Amino acid sequence: MAYYWFKAFHLIGVVVWFAGLFYLVRLFVYHAEAATETEPAQAILKAQYEIMEKRLYNIITTPGMIVTVAMAIGLISTEPEILKSGWLHIKLSFVALLLLYHFYCGRIMKKLEKGECNWTGQQFRALNEAPTLLLVVIVLLAVFKNQLPLDLTTWLIVALVVLMAVTIQLYAKKRRKDQEKLRQNTPQKEEVATR
């Protein structure tokens, strides 16, 4: 019975952790883009994003990570022979990368707060693709274990994930260009209105 409790809370932890990671870096995008705003909007937005980032990281994302890792240890304790499985070693390597990503996001958050981070919104959007790729690999390894299919279907799924990432980047680029056009046209409209 302990195995099922560990597994249930492990899955809950994974969902919470990934939700937090996805949203945290999205907040970084908005935080970086707030630098293009004029005062006092810039200061207000940056202060608000700092509060949101801290709360998300400390109250949701990090506890989600802790629950995930603790329940994984519990799962392994119920069947320690699983540690001999090659697929688990590969999965744990990707989880280690995810942990590094998590703490790297915490470091970025502190740099944004101090005004020491020069990343653009576009760079943060690209960074936000990393947990998606890690999630796909980790879930596939957890489901298929040693039977991970490397056939056409798998490559189609990989291609779909890459296509989604590229589409998101292209959409963000288009949106940024549209905003630049809007900013360029706004002063012209104000001049016409004052005449």
Side-chain angles (χ1 to χ4, degrees):
M1 200 62 173
Y3 172 85
Y4 294 109
W5 283 107
F6 287 137
K7 190 167 192 170
F9 281 97
H10 178 68
L11 292 172
I12 291 166
V14 167
V15 171
V16 171
W17 188 18
F18 273 95
L21 287 175
F22 289 141
Y23 189 48
L24 182 64
V25 180
R26 176 55 54 182
L27 288 174
F28 293 167
V29 170
Y30 300 143
H31 196 143
E33 290 178 349
T36 63
E37 297 294 329
T38 58
E39 291 295 347
Q42 184 182 116
I44 293 167
L45 288 170
K46 284 185 173 186
Q48 184 61 40
Y49 291 135
E50 287 170 15
I51 292 168
M52 293 169 72
E53 290 159 2
K54 280 183 191 174
R55 288 180 182 168
L56 179 64
Y57 189 80
N58 295 323
I59 299 172
I60 296 173
T61 312
T62 299
M65 176 202 64
I66 292 168
V67 169
T68 300
V69 172
M71 295 303 108
I73 293 168
L75 279 169
I76 291 170
S77 74
T78 63
E79 48 182 40
E81 66 279 358
I82 199 169
L83 286 171
K84 297 175 185 171
S85 303
W87 69 269
L88 183 64
H89 297 176
I90 297 168
K91 179 187 171 193
L92 291 175
S93 298
F94 283 105
V95 172
L97 287 174
L98 188 62
L99 287 165
L100 289 173
Y101 179 86
H102 175 98
F103 291 113
Y104 184 66
C105 286
R107 188 169 167 223
I108 289 172
M109 185 178 68
K110 289 176 184 172
K111 284 187 167 190
L112 281 167
E113 184 180 9
K114 293 177 184 175
E116 298 173 355
C117 185
N118 297 323
W119 283 42
T120 65
Q122 190 66 21
Q123 290 171 315
F124 282 125
R125 282 184 181 89
L127 180 68
N128 206 20
E129 303 307 324
T132 304
L133 298 174
L134 290 170
L135 176 65
V136 169
V137 172
I138 291 168
V139 169
L140 289 175
L141 285 164
V143 170
F144 290 105
K145 297 178 178 32
N146 287 324
Q147 308 300 320
L148 184 64
L150 297 174
D151 58 3
L152 180 62
T153 305
T154 304
W155 291 112
L156 286 173
I157 291 170
V158 169
L160 180 65
V161 170
V162 169
L163 179 66
M164 287 171 43
V166 168
T167 303
I168 290 167
Q169 294 299 320
L170 290 173
Y171 171 75
K173 190 174 185 177
K174 180 191 177 304
R175 201 179 94 206
R176 195 174 63 250
K177 285 183 180 180
D178 290 345
Q179 287 175 343
E180 287 172 11
K181 285 180 187 177
L182 183 65
R183 283 190 191 121
Q184 289 172 354
N185 291 336
T186 301
Q188 293 171 357
K189 289 178 183 176
E190 287 174 0
E191 281 180 29
V192 171
T194 57
R195 288 183 187 169

